[in-house]
Amino acid sequence: MSKAKSLAVEVQSYKSLSDFGYNVAKRADAIRADGAWALDNIPNFIEGCSPEARVELNEGFRQRASELPKYAEVVYGIVDGNIIPLSQLSGDAPKEQFKVNVAMVFSYSQQQIGAMKSEDPAKYNVIFDLRDRVNKYCSNRFNDLKAAAKKVLKERDPDSHTRAATLSFGEFIDKTLDTLKTRCKSAEARGNDPTANSKALDAAIIAFKVKLEVTK
């Protein structure tokens, strides 16, 4: 097991339950404020956050991830073709070493990652592992922010969900297709999903709309 996987999450310390409760409430207020900021400053944040905004948000999420022990940098040594964390080796450190950290694993393009999988599978495994875990962290933080924004929207406009549910079927289709396009572009921007293909999706949507018109 690598050092990055064995490290525990950060543990907070509180003087009392009252102190703990105060901090819980303070963080909840901060999360709500962040949700309100996203709602007010990121166009269509809930309905369909743009790929450009998502990329910028992920940059911030990754920066935070790099500060957490769970995603800490690990130095690996290459011994007889095997990639092993230096922390697990004894004796003299091997001459061939490389560092794996958040910035490093996201410096590769999706094409480079794909090529590495066949050309250097051992190195690919350690790089992909951290890249995949950080992507999940970023996705969870985005979902947290989106949930906070939805709560703020509901507070501001309690009828918002009711009105959304009364969309016509045609409007529902258009909204769903727009969501598919946005999610596909976001997946392409993240570079970790080979199934995301905007050109193929656009072609499929055109074919769907043509078929829908024919059957009317």
Side-chain angles (χ1 to χ4, degrees):
M1 181 180 291
S2 72
K3 181 181 178 182
K5 285 188 176 181
S6 64
L7 288 167
V9 297
E10 292 181 318
V11 178
Q12 300 294 329
S13 178
Y14 302 101
K15 295 178 290 185
S16 64
L17 283 177
S18 176
D19 181 45
F20 173 63
Y22 171 83
N23 280 276
V24 168
K26 185 177 180 180
R27 283 194 295 271
D29 290 339
I31 291 171
R32 186 197 176 284
D34 289 341
W37 193 96
L39 199 61
D40 294 337
N41 293 277
I42 304 176
N44 301 315
F45 177 68
I46 293 178
E47 295 83 1
C49 183
S50 72
E52 294 78 13
R54 188 71 184 268
V55 167
E56 285 196 55
L57 285 170
N58 279 341
E59 287 176 357
F61 296 150
R62 290 171 188 165
Q63 183 179 355
R64 172 54 181 160
S66 69
E67 299 171 346
L68 301 175
K70 185 176 180 181
Y71 310 106
E73 178 178 272
V74 177
V75 182
Y76 290 88
I78 300 178
V79 181
D80 298 328
N82 298 308
I83 296 179
I84 306 170
L86 288 188
S87 61
Q88 296 180 13
L89 296 174
S90 57
D92 295 335
K95 293 182 179 180
E96 195 172 357
Q97 303 177 14
F98 71 98
K99 298 177 180 179
V100 175
N101 55 49
V102 174
M104 176 266 201
V105 300
F106 284 99
S107 67
Y108 293 95
S109 68
Q110 184 63 26
Q111 290 72 24
Q112 289 173 317
I113 290 290
M116 189 188 301
K117 186 174 183 179
S118 56
E119 295 170 0
D120 194 347
K123 188 174 182 179
Y124 164 84
N125 286 336
V126 296
I127 289 176
F128 180 82
D129 172 69
L130 180 58
R131 187 175 170 119
D132 184 55
R133 288 189 292 116
V134 172
N135 272 329
K136 289 176 181 176
Y137 173 85
C138 293
S139 179
N140 288 338
R141 297 297 73 77
F142 180 79
N143 289 336
D144 290 343
L145 183 58
K146 196 170 183 178
K150 286 181 177 179
K151 287 183 179 180
V152 172
L153 179 61
K154 190 171 180 62
E155 290 174 4
R156 293 178 178 177
D157 186 359
D159 297 328
S160 59
H161 292 290
T162 302
R163 284 199 300 273
T166 60
L167 291 174
S168 70
F169 184 64
E171 291 172 327
F172 174 76
I173 288 176
D174 288 339
K175 187 173 182 179
T176 300
L177 294 179
D178 286 342
T179 300
L180 285 172
K181 291 179 181 179
T182 299
R183 291 187 177 181
C184 185
K185 289 179 181 178
S186 295
E188 286 179 325
R190 291 195 303 272
N192 68 331
D193 188 346
T195 65
N197 186 322
S198 290
K199 290 184 178 179
L201 178 61
D202 288 342
I205 288 174
I206 291 172
F208 170 76
K209 288 185 174 180
V210 169
K211 183 68 174 177
L212 193 63
E213 287 296 321
V214 170
T215 56
K216 284 184 177 179

